[in-house]
Each structure stands twice: as structure tokens, then as C-alpha cells.
Amino acid sequence: SYKRSTPSEEARSLYDDCKTAYEDLNTKLTAVSTQQEMNTCAGEMYTTTDACLNQLWQLLKDNVPEDKYQEILKEQLQWIDDKEAAAAKILEENDGTSAQLNASLDLATRTLDRCEILLTYIQANTQ
């Protein structure tokens, strides 16, 4: 018979896969030689972590008690504002060729960190 994963197990698997993909892309980033390749790789790092974040968010939304969800939602909205402001600041302060690279890397790192926080919320608030 098939044993269905718990939300906590599913969240852990999503996070672990995301972290592995992030690390693989980070390794690839150190091996590429052009600015365009670096920008593309950093963009993929952000896309990967953002997709994981969205999947974790859906798991959280579907499985965490409503009162706790509302509390985390407020925090999440603030985190989004902070993340976007930080990226905008990087782009504003660095008008050189590495601005997009630095902004994407910052977004990817912040998003991976947030995925880990959402994982802990799911683990703490579900069976």
C-alpha cells in the first residue's frame, strides 16, 4: 500500500530539493565566464527558490490553523516588501554590469532563507 507523506515530510522534501538545486546552480555560477551567463545562472537560482517558496506557502496555507496562518501571512507580506526593497536598493546603488547579478543573488539567498523559515513553521504547526 502507498503511504502518503505528511505536510511536514512533503515540506522537508521540497526544501531539500530546492537547496540542492540552489547549491548546484551556485557551483555552476562559479564556473561560467561571461556576465550574461552569470546573470542567467543567478536568475535561475532566484526562480528555483521562488518556486519552492510558493509550494511551501501553499502547503502552509492548506495545513496550518487559520489563526497561525493569518499571523504568518502578515509576516510574509512584510518579508516580501523588505526583499523587494533590498533588491531595488542594490539595482539603484550599482548601475554597473553586475547590478542584476547582485540583485538576483540577494533575492535567491533571501528567498532560500525564507523557505527554511516556512519549513520550520510547517513542521511546528502540522502533524
Side-chain angles (χ1 to χ4, degrees), residues 50-108:
D50 193 52
C52 179
L53 181 87
N54 290 328
Q55 290 175 296
L56 289 170
W57 185 257
Q58 192 61 52
L59 261 177
L60 185 142
K61 184 178 179 185
D62 293 345
N63 294 286
V64 169
E66 183 63 24
D67 59 330
K68 187 67 178 170
Y69 170 75
Q70 289 301 324
E71 184 182 312
I72 298 169
L73 177 60
K74 286 180 189 158
E75 180 185 302
Q76 185 74 2
L77 294 172
Q78 183 62 55
W79 174 82
I80 291 167
D81 289 346
D82 294 346
K83 172 192 74 160
E84 290 173 355
K89 185 175 182 190
I90 290 169
L91 290 172
E92 184 182 305
E93 292 177 353
N94 300 287
D95 55 355
T97 55
S98 64
Q100 189 58 56
L101 170 68
N102 293 336
S104 293
L105 288 174
D106 186 72
L107 287 167

Side-chain angles (χ1 to χ4, degrees), residues 13-25:
S13 178
L14 282 168
Y15 176 78
D16 289 347
D17 289 349
C18 177
K19 188 161 170 109
T20 298
Y22 175 91
E23 290 167 353
D24 290 347
L25 286 164

